[in-house]
Amino acid sequence: MAAHVQTGKNYINEFAGLKSWLCSLDHKRIGVMYAIAVGIFFLVGGIFALLLRTELFSAGPTIMGANTYNQVMTYHGAVMVFMVIIPGIPAVLGNFFLPLHIGAKDVAFPRLNLLSWYVFMAGSILAISTLFTSKIDTGWTFYTPYSIRTSTATVTMVVAAFIMGISSILTGLNFIATTHTLRAPGMTMGRIPLFVWALYSTSILQVLATPVLGITLLLLVAERTLGIGIFDAALGGDPVLFQHFFWFYSHPAVYIMILPAMGIISEVITTFSRKTIFGYTAIAYSSLGIAAVSFFVWGHHMYVSGQSEIANVIFSALTILVGVPTAIKMFNWTATLYRGSIQFTTPMLYALGFLFLFAIGGVTGIMLALIGLDVHFHDTYFVVAHFHYVMVGGVLMALMSGMFYWLPKMSGKMYQESWARISFVFTFIGFNVTFFPQFILGSMGMPRRYFDYLPMYESLNRISTIGSYMIGFGFVVGLITVIRAIYSGPPAPANPWGGKTLEWTVASPPPHHNFDVEPVITAGPYEYR
Amino acid sequence: MWWLSLAKASSFAPTQATKIAAEWDSLYQFLLVSSLVACALLIGGMIYFVTKYRRKTNHDKTPYISHNSMLEFIWSFVPLVLFLMMFVWGWSLYYDMRTVPSNAKEVHVYGQQWLWQFEYKNGKKLNNEFVVPVGVPVKLIMTSKDVLHSFYVPSFRIKQDVIPGRYTDLWFQAEKLGEFHVFCTEYCGLDHSKMLAKLKVVPLEEYETWLATTTELTGGPGAQIYNDKGCVACHSLDGSPKVGPSFKGAFGKNSMMDDGTEVKVDENYLRESIVNPNVKTVKGFPKAVMPSFQGQLSEEDLTAIIEFIKNQK
Ligand SMILES: [Cu+2]
Ligand SMILES: [Cu+2]
């Protein structure tokens, strides 16, 4: 199949001009447009993160006041969650590779796909616009009643999150329909790549959970603008109700973020071990299992919120159960390495980095799931460290892994391995330097969202800040490597890594319609025999 | 076992000042050790495999191992049992945290934007600090006057959100004398990180004499309002700006507003600032932070607090 060399036209050069991109219905082009948008938002969120860490370098005001700090903290969280990590993997890599992985020409509803991008952009621009008005300082969680009383930009931001939610629902719908209806002949559900299984599980969550967020946010807007008492005790509402609604979405959202990441890891590890995945069925079903259970564990964010004690016990038991499918996946990936033929390319390094960080994120997640233990940890830096290990250590490592893995396919160019590895080393080490001390800070009792802290927390905060600069440097090097590859990298062959999934059977970059002849599938996705 | 003591040393938890804290620490140490073992297995296994099975040639053959039911059963079942054990332990710790002894002394706690207020049964009130006897269970009955807050004593390993419109509670029995930090751990706006209180644990007799001596507030009914309504959280009397401007020397001067106008601070301006604080905002201070006291203060109260401010020369 390596016959598809760069002779003919591909999705990039088939049409020219900005309009051909902005009106494109091609899932690959839409994926690239998402990549550009998410990349820019990631830079924005990252700058906020560095500002925060710089402020926290010393106790007392360092470079900004409490009010600015609270705003920067809010924007860092909101941008990273709603505009980077949630859309990141599904909308960028999912869009590009889901149809290729199942042997389809495009997604089921290409127009809807383009619409999701525009809706996402509208929401994002609205969200960013609040930076130029009164700004918001609620934290990304918008907890009531504070969010009902503070600055007016909160309404705009909440509406923006609502709009981005619609985009997320549309993408989810599209992916579910695509997976069910557009699989190539012979591509049974038992033969789709694990990345597709992960996207499929994620899409179910997006479709079922996001509407709850939408409704909650609308209720919040109604309360603020019309004075209807829903969440504000002063108006006869119940502030804790908001938390229930919010986490009913936002806990599954955690898996909207992490499941696609796990999908990438399954792909990358098989390719660079040149070995079939260990326990395909277990991994596929554990994705679905995690998705299902994730609807019943939202209360673990509320152990000290004043919800009933019985509820706490039940939520704790259910939460701990999520640990099992997660552990299964970890064991499966490790077992896949066994007797493989391991190649240390950048994507593989990032994937191994994922395993390392996710193991730490996972065990600390178990600690937080235990009610009695969580009472001390809740809302301290321990939680901050835990979810950064999972969200950044997990999702971003996987996203980087996937970007380098598929860059040759998406751009048709190879990147420079040495630079890419430098970027990995800095992000990986920097990450641990930043967030490991935060576990200790949390054990020591330092609360999160603190503009200022007691002097005893200073030295660890300093280490953490230095680590964040290392991460920043690592990502800048990574970005430069990617851009350099796109502009001046050597042309990529169709299958540079010896992968077995379908995207490697077409030219790099793929032709406009993906497959010249519709593929017929006769075996599983990772046939390294 | 040396590694157990290692886990103990590396737990970094603050001073252990209650029995609950000791229970908490044992569970945490157990989790730390099991986590270390789990990570060593996983990460160690991973590192071992990737070094041992490094790609040698470009034509390496690998075995086709699709699954192994026995192995998969073991690594699902063993974690499940371990996790359930941990869950039960966490539950029993939580049970102890939530079971208030019937002889607990009650103290009322009010959270408000950036102030903790404590009220004893005999009417004694304190701001941002309170005193409890050692070895006696104490129950805090808490509510918030505005947004969510959370009452957290790291040395006791306890925490509870403080919610407007309802009561939540928390109990502890201090076993160590000394002073302990109280933090607010639910984000509550501008000065969230300054919402700290001090908890003093003293011997029982000392506590009882302390409780019996009521500190008379000087300054009459205005001072009472200044304290009870929480003006104290944001306005100092010594000239140092807090969240809002200090009351010292406020009356009679010309105050600069954020729209550039200058206002003479007289009785009517003070009245407006208290009842309708968003109409004018003092330059250099945040907008829409001071709550309106419309309807919360009677005419007499208003006069009293304005007289009080006038007296802060
Ligand atoms: Cu959760
Ligand atoms: Cu607070």
Side-chain angles (χ1 to χ4, degrees), chain A residues 11 26-32 34-35 88-107 113 171 175 178-179 182-183 187 192-197 199-200 260 263-264 267-268 398-412 493-497 501-511 514-515 526:
Chain A
Y11 83 99
D26 183 353
H27 68 102
K28 299 184 287 303
R29 286 190 160 205
I30 296 172
V32 171
Y34 266 115
I89 298 177
V92 177
L93 297 173
N95 244 322
F96 202 105
F97 291 102
L98 173 70
L100 282 165
H101 265 170
I102 60 174
K105 275 199 196 121
D106 207 315
V107 291
N113 201 14
T171 304
F175 284 6
T178 308
T179 312
L182 295 187
R183 279 172 287 127
M187 178 67 86
I192 58 179
L194 286 166
F195 184 52
V196 178
W197 267 114
L199 288 172
Y200 180 74
I264 292 180
E267 299 301 322
V268 171
L399 184 60
M400 293 300 277
S401 173
M403 283 311 284
F404 280 110
Y405 179 56
W406 280 310
L407 186 69
K409 183 57 61 185
M410 295 173 77
S411 67
N495 191 358
W497 315 124
T501 37
L502 286 177
E503 78 272 30
W504 304 114
T505 63
V506 300
S508 305
N514 294 352
F515 299 94
Y526 315 110

Side-chain angles (χ1 to χ4, degrees), chain A residues 35 89 137 190 201 227 255 280 462 515 526:
Chain A
I89 298 177
D137 67 340
S201 314
Y255 296 102
Y280 175 93
R462 295 213 152 153
F515 299 94
Y526 315 110

Side-chain angles (χ1 to χ4, degrees), chain A residues 70 137 243 274 279 304-306 309 312 339 341-343 373 375-376 378-379 443-444 449-450 527, chain B residues 12 14 24 28 53 55 58 60 62 64 66 94 98 148 152 159-161 163 166 184-185 187 189 192:
Chain A
N70 291 341
D137 67 340
Q243 297 175 32
R274 196 174 279 173
V304 300
S305 69
E309 285 144 13
N312 278 339
R339 294 181 63 194
S341 163
I342 316 284
Q343 193 186 8
L373 216 49
V375 169
H376 177 65
H378 180 76
D379 269 346
S443 303
M444 290 165 71
R449 295 177 168 178
Y450 261 33
E527 291 296 301
Chain B
F12 291 104
W24 188 94
Y28 185 33
Y53 302 113
R55 185 162 300 181
N58 265 337
D60 283 0
T62 56
Y64 190 87
S66 68
Y94 182 67
R98 296 305 309 164
L148 298 176
Y152 174 36
K159 179 182 290 137
Q160 175 63 54
D161 282 6
I163 305 166
R166 58 179 280 201
C184 174
T185 43
Y187 175 69
H192 169 55

